[in-house]
Every structure is written in structure tokens, then in C-alpha cells.
Amino acid sequence: SVQLVDAYTYNFGYLGTRNHGNEGGDFLIAGPGWKGEKPKGIKAIIVSETQLAYALIRTQLFNPADLKNVQAIQARYQVRTLSQYLGAPPPQVPSIAWPKPVAGMTKTSALFPYLNFLLQFCPTHPSEEAMRERFATLGIGAGLTFDPAKLPADTAKAIDEGISDAWTDEEAMRRRMN
């Protein structure tokens, strides 16, 4: 099975026997702006709400003696662009200047410039428009510049405390789960 997850961490699709049968097939995973007809040979088109997505692929292993069968199945998995699939020249797309992650950035407001970069690939879901507007007042949003030095001191402090509280809550949840 293949679990498809968008950048919002929403499971937007599954490929597997429960919904597509046992035969396998070719599937088109499309971004939110994709338009077109289903190409010949494509079993289904699955649309992501974001331009970035990932796939979690699971292959069943019955017992250690079955490992060779699993490896043979895995060797047949392919990820190709649509142009590769169609044997057509690739479209001209701009290169992406990915920012370098900063050590420890998930524990501080240093995460927000990286988040701002990622949000350009994530159209705002209608249910989040009001929240995005509030975030924008802090400089958090696609194409915005987050600069804690430009925020009122109490706001910058509240952001740092909120991040710390979130990690404290996450650690408590992890302890409960373990």
C-alpha cells in the first residue's frame, strides 16, 4: 500500500488493494493546480491540496523466507514525472532555492522563515483563511518575512514561550504514549 500525505499532513490518498484492487497500476499524483485529461494507462488521478507531498510505501512481508519476494516487488516500484511517463520533453519549471535548515530551528522562532518558504507550496485551505490572516500580522505566511526584532517585545516573548510550551506538551504526550 502507499499512503499519500500532503504538506498539511493530511492523508489525501491511498494506493492499495482496498481501493484499487490487486493488479497494481500507474497512478498520477497531481498538485492542486494540475489540469488535464487522464493520460492513457493511468489507473487513477489522486490530487494533493499542496504542491509537496510524500508517500509512505508498505510492502507486506509474510516471514523471513519471503524477503526475496518483497525485494522483487519493491524493485518494480517507480516514481516518474508525468513527462517521463508520457515520453515527452519536461516542461520548463523554475528551480527552487531551498533554504538550509538551521540547527535547532524547530525549538525556536528560527522555524518561521523556513515555514514561510514552505507555505508558498501550500495553497490556503478555506478553513484556515482567518488563521493565516492572523499569522500574517506576525510576518508568518507565504512570501512574508518573519523578523522577531520587529515585533513588540511581549509578542516575541509569547511566541518563544508558546514554542517551548508546545515542546513540553509534545514530550508529555510522548511519555504517555510510550
Side-chain angles (χ1 to χ4, degrees), residues 8-174:
Y8 291 128
T9 68
Y10 175 71
N11 296 323
F12 67 92
Y14 289 90
L15 310 177
T17 57
R18 288 185 183 176
N19 54 353
H20 295 289
N22 290 319
E23 306 82 41
D26 294 331
F27 299 88
L28 174 60
I29 311 305
W34 186 80
K35 293 177 177 49
E37 298 295 319
K38 183 168 80 167
K40 183 178 181 181
I42 295 292
K43 192 168 191 173
I45 298 173
I46 299 99
V47 179
S48 171
E49 288 186 8
T50 62
Q51 294 177 23
L52 301 175
Y54 68 93
L56 178 60
I57 302 170
R58 298 174 184 95
T59 307
Q60 186 174 13
L61 174 68
F62 293 104
N63 57 53
D66 192 38
L67 186 57
K68 294 271 190 222
N69 293 327
V70 168
Q71 291 169 334
I73 291 168
Q74 290 174 332
R76 293 177 25 216
Y77 295 155
Q78 293 182 41
V79 176
R80 296 176 281 171
T81 64
L82 182 58
S83 59
Q84 289 170 324
Y85 181 82
L86 297 174
Q92 294 296 318
V93 294
S95 63
I96 299 172
W98 291 89
K100 291 185 179 180
V102 175
M105 68 189 234
T106 61
K107 305 275 184 173
T108 71
S109 62
L111 174 65
F112 294 127
Y114 200 86
L115 174 63
N116 286 353
F117 171 80
L118 290 175
L119 286 174
Q120 71 181 303
F121 304 105
C122 306
T124 304
H125 189 275
S127 69
E128 295 187 344
E129 287 175 3
M131 180 181 64
R132 290 275 190 108
E133 288 174 16
R134 289 194 317 273
F135 286 171
T137 65
L138 300 171
I140 300 170
L144 300 179
T145 301
F146 178 80
D147 184 353
K150 292 185 178 178
L151 296 173
D154 61 331
T155 301
K157 181 180 178 198
I159 289 171
D160 289 338
E161 289 172 350
I163 292 168
S164 178
D165 289 349
W167 280 106
T168 300
D169 291 350
E170 190 272 343
E171 180 58 35
M173 179 189 66
R174 187 183 305 249

